[in-house]
Amino acid sequence: MEVLSSRMLIHPRDPQISTAFYRDTLGLAVEREFPGGTRFFAGGGSIEVVGSGQTAPSPDVNLFLQVRDLPAVLADLAVRGVEPVRGPQREPWGTDEAWITDPDGLRIVLVEVPEDHPLRRDSR
């Protein structure tokens, strides 16, 4: 299979609140707006807030966003009124992670890959 692009679709309970959260609070750039939704740039993929949902997100589904500087991102989010539901910590696999949630409770895992982590080493 050749994947040409990818995106995660989020069906929020209140589309206006969720769109504002991803656009204004997280500061994601708008990739495209269309009737009934907004698509945001998210690194190598997209996050699309579309339609509306009736149920809370499953705790089995997480949105991972890799960031360059986790402490700086958390400080910026705190100014915007977002507090982590789990503060930053080094995971057993070596990444630094903190958890926040979107307005519907979708867990967003903010990940920083430390300088000395194997994912940052060029193995060529």
Side-chain angles (χ1 to χ4, degrees):
M1 171 174 63
E2 180 182 7
V3 177
L4 301 178
S5 70
S6 64
R7 67 184 188 266
M8 177 176 188
L9 300 178
I10 297 172
H11 302 283
R13 288 188 214 143
D14 187 321
Q16 289 180 326
I17 289 174
S18 290
T19 298
F21 174 80
Y22 286 95
R23 182 191 59 228
D24 304 330
T25 305
L26 294 187
L28 299 182
V30 173
E31 182 177 336
R32 182 175 159 239
E33 293 179 296
F34 52 92
T38 303
R39 184 181 300 168
F40 297 94
F41 284 105
S46 301
I47 299 168
E48 196 166 294
V49 177
V50 62
S52 61
Q54 302 302 314
T55 61
S58 168
D60 296 332
V61 176
N62 300 291
L63 173 59
F64 274 66
L65 299 177
Q66 184 178 337
V67 299
R68 193 173 307 279
D69 184 340
L70 184 58
V73 167
L74 291 172
D76 182 54
L77 289 173
V79 168
R80 298 167 189 245
V82 177
E83 292 298 325
V85 294
R86 194 194 80 175
Q89 62 186 54
R90 175 76 40 102
E91 298 295 342
W93 43 89
T95 58
D96 296 330
E97 299 181 7
W99 301 351
I100 62 171
T101 59
D102 81 353
D104 286 320
L106 174 66
R107 182 183 300 150
I108 300 171
V109 180
L110 303 173
V111 181
E112 179 182 343
V113 179
E115 292 284 333
D116 61 345
H117 193 280
L119 288 173
R120 290 234 189 168
R121 292 191 203 125
D122 187 350
S123 60
R124 291 179 279 163

